Amino acid sequence: MDIAGTLSKWWNHKVSQGAILLAIAALIFLVLSRVPAADQAVLGVLERMSFDLQMKFLRAYHPRPASVEPVLIGIDESAEDAFDEPIAMWHKHFAELLDALAVSEPSLIGMDVVLPSKSFDHILPGLDIAFLRSLAKIKRTAPFVVVHTFDRTGRLFPIHPTFLKVLTDESFAIDKVLEDKDRVARRFNEFETVGTGSLPAFSGHIARLLGRKAESGFIDFSIGGVLNYVPMQKVIAWKAAGNVDELKRQFGGKVVLIGSVVGAQDRWQLPVALSEWERNQKGEMTLNQPGVIVHFQTLRSLLGDGLITPISDTLTWLIFALLLGFVFVPSNRYTYWFAFFVAPVVIISISVILITAKILIPAVSLLAMLWIAVAVGATAEGVKTLLEKNRFKQSFSGSVSPAVLQEMLAGNLSAGKSAKTAEICVLFSDIRGFTGMSETLSPEKVTNLLTRYFDRMVACVHRYDGTMDKFMGDGMMVLFGAPRSVGNPSVNAVKCALDMVTALKQLNEEFVAEGLPHLEIGIGINYGKAVVGIIGSTERNNYSAIGDAVNVASRVEGLTKRLGAPIVLTDSLKAQLGDTFAFVDFGEQAIRGHSDMHLWGVAGGKSVGVSQLPAPSATLH
């Protein structure tokens, strides 16, 4: 089976070619978005980075208050210093804290502190009962949620049965934070967090108790100000001092969270720095935050305008499909300007605006799809153009001069549009007496002789950046300085002529050894203005030059035999050459169909590497 031929056939068919391009672009996108897994793929990583940057941007340049602002009571180092007992035996202090909150009448209390797993009454009699009474009292005052957590084996951490009986299951919720593959907490999804167990997630349970839905989505880290907390011992002190007004001012009618703000455990990396007190040695706020802060920001979203919800998969793939269509958009500067400058600004701006409306679009993936489509389309066009140029080059490489072919491939030459007036050198050469010579040879020998002759002459022309205009029987017309300008076309033209004479000398040695006739050539060169370009009809044309400069060069070539010189050039050409060559002065000569002209021969070059010729019988300059 000819696989290459089949693929070539598909590629050359417009419909199948489009299908191939779509498949290639889609495959590249799927690799970037799904390998090795969606959350570990390149685009998955970049989407997370994009989300974090947008959160930082909005906090810096478009800060917005949270519509519901909880209050945090923190357990910090100063509390540990203030209380003599170890934290496992803080029953009395937690009781005092809950009693103080009961006086303030909050709307809900969430306690991110694990309840004791055993009794300490045998150490301090009455320790448990004080805490139990406060729990029962606060539960009657306001909705109360306390965390339940897992041990290292994945089982629920044990809580003393007495506390379970007082609170019942409805007061417990799982203290677990959902983190992405890069160990950063960005999302809330109760199913991913706790599965289908009997206990809900901490933040979700609080939201439901307050009449809100616990939907899934991204936590909006752009709302609300920098967090601070009220120290636990300060709340207890207000109660002890009878400062009820301050308690109600701080906590009345509000959602109150109680949690630790110290220690190395229960720490999570966040997209933005939220806690005023969490700073590094340089005084900069850090992204490493206590777990209670994640719950706090989640509640800001759940209790306010909601979480940030990604657009539906259906809409996402529909947009991807539209962007995939850019494989068919012509590759030009406008397409590139739109894809790589306009589109990023527009898509990122829309993404930031939509986030404030609680909608998340995969901005990086959308841009990636657009760029992949444009890149695949551009690559396909490039390959197609390269193949076409290669076919064009193969078709015309033997028909036109390399300089003309390159200009045609570059799109600089076209019939009727590329003609212009330029100052160029025109060289005509002809084999002397070839007509009579060819009558004594067979057609095969004539063809072989001319082919070998022209091979040598054309090589000389190309060596000096000449442009083969045409072959005329045994003659040649060559241009220097068109279509591509060279440093000094006049010098190149004379060097080419000298090289042609030397090459013919070597070729004649071969011909004589083979019993073929000895050839002599005449070369006429002129410098002047001519019209150059694609000349002819729309159906048949070729690159050429017309004008007086061309006619004079042809007439001068016809005088080489009479003047006894292989190379004759005009006075206008000599004026361009300086003292690079040794010249022979032929004086004023009659030019058929033209006024008399001063002509010169060239005996050779004065610089190294230029062939020397025997000087004709005339004055040497």
Side-chain angles (χ1 to χ4, degrees), residues 400-402 457-468 496:
V400 298
S401 185
M457 299 302 104
V458 169
C460 297
V461 170
H462 291 166
R463 190 175 298 127
Y464 291 98
D465 291 324
T467 299
M468 277 301 310
C496 175

Side-chain angles (χ1 to χ4, degrees), residues 305-583:
D305 298 327
L307 297 170
I308 301 171
T309 306
I311 60 174
S312 68
D313 290 342
T314 302
L315 180 57
T316 299
W317 286 106
L318 177 60
I319 299 174
F320 283 157
L322 293 174
L323 294 174
L324 192 59
F326 269 82
V327 295
F328 303 118
V329 175
S331 297
N332 52 47
R333 60 178 180 177
Y334 300 108
T335 301
Y336 300 144
W337 178 260
F338 172 79
F340 297 104
F341 294 96
V342 176
V345 173
V346 172
I347 291 177
I348 292 172
S349 298
I350 291 174
S351 178
V352 172
I353 292 170
L354 289 178
I355 281 179
T356 63
K358 306 300 179 180
I359 299 172
L360 182 67
I361 63 172
V364 174
S365 297
L366 295 178
L367 285 174
M369 178 58 87
L370 173 62
W371 292 342
I372 290 170
V374 170
V376 169
T379 302
E381 282 193 21
V383 171
K384 185 178 179 180
T385 301
L386 186 63
L387 292 175
E388 288 178 351
K389 285 186 176 181
N390 188 52
R391 286 195 294 268
F392 186 85
K393 186 175 181 179
Q394 290 177 349
S395 300
F396 288 91
S397 59
S399 302
V400 298
S401 185
V404 175
L405 182 59
Q406 289 180 14
E407 291 298 304
M408 292 173 69
L409 291 173
N412 297 329
L413 294 179
S414 58
K417 296 181 180 180
S418 57
K420 62 180 181 179
T421 300
E423 292 188 346
I424 61 171
C425 274
V426 184
L427 180 152
F428 275 84
S429 73
D430 190 61
I431 301 176
R432 295 174 184 168
F434 185 77
T435 302
M437 187 187 308
S438 62
E439 293 177 354
T440 63
L441 298 174
S442 66
E444 291 79 8
K445 286 187 177 182
V446 171
T447 302
N448 176 267
L449 185 146
L450 278 178
T451 300
R452 293 169 66 182
Y453 165 74
F454 282 132
D455 281 344
R456 302 291 177 94
M457 299 302 104
V458 169
C460 297
V461 170
H462 291 166
R463 190 175 298 127
Y464 291 98
D465 291 324
T467 299
M468 277 301 310
D469 184 293
K470 61 175 67 71
F471 295 100
M472 302 162 293
D474 61 317
M476 296 167 51
M477 174 179 169
V478 183
L479 308 179
F480 291 87
R484 197 172 51 195
S485 61
V486 295
N488 192 328
S490 300
V491 172
N492 282 20
V494 175
K495 285 184 177 181
C496 175
L498 292 169
D499 206 17
M500 289 169 68
V501 173
T502 301
L504 181 60
K505 181 180 179 182
Q506 297 170 351
L507 184 61
N508 275 328
E509 293 175 358
E510 298 175 14
F511 285 166
V512 171
E514 298 172 18
L516 294 173
H518 182 279
L519 302 183
E520 292 184 2
I521 61 172
I523 301 172
I525 316 174
N526 182 36
Y527 177 85
K529 289 183 179 181
V531 176
V532 294
I534 300 292
I535 299 172
S537 70
T538 54
E539 295 183 0
R540 183 173 180 81
N541 52 65
N542 65 284
Y543 186 85
S544 186
I546 56 176
D548 186 63
V550 178
N551 297 332
V552 168
S554 176
R555 300 289 190 270
V556 169
E557 184 275 321
L559 296 176
T560 56
K561 183 176 182 181
R562 181 168 63 81
L563 295 175
I567 303 171
V568 176
L569 48 94
T570 61
D571 199 49
S572 61
L573 176 62
K574 179 182 178 298
Q576 302 291 322
L577 298 174
D579 60 352
T580 306
F581 303 94
F583 299 103

Side-chain angles (χ1 to χ4, degrees), residues 56-83:
K56 290 182 174 70
F57 176 84
L58 285 171
R59 289 194 73 85
Y61 299 103
H62 186 55
R64 293 161 293 136
S67 54
V68 175
E69 190 71 56
V71 181
L72 176 61
I73 296 176
I75 303 170
D76 58 12
E77 291 93 339
S78 62
E80 296 175 354
D81 294 338
F83 305 137

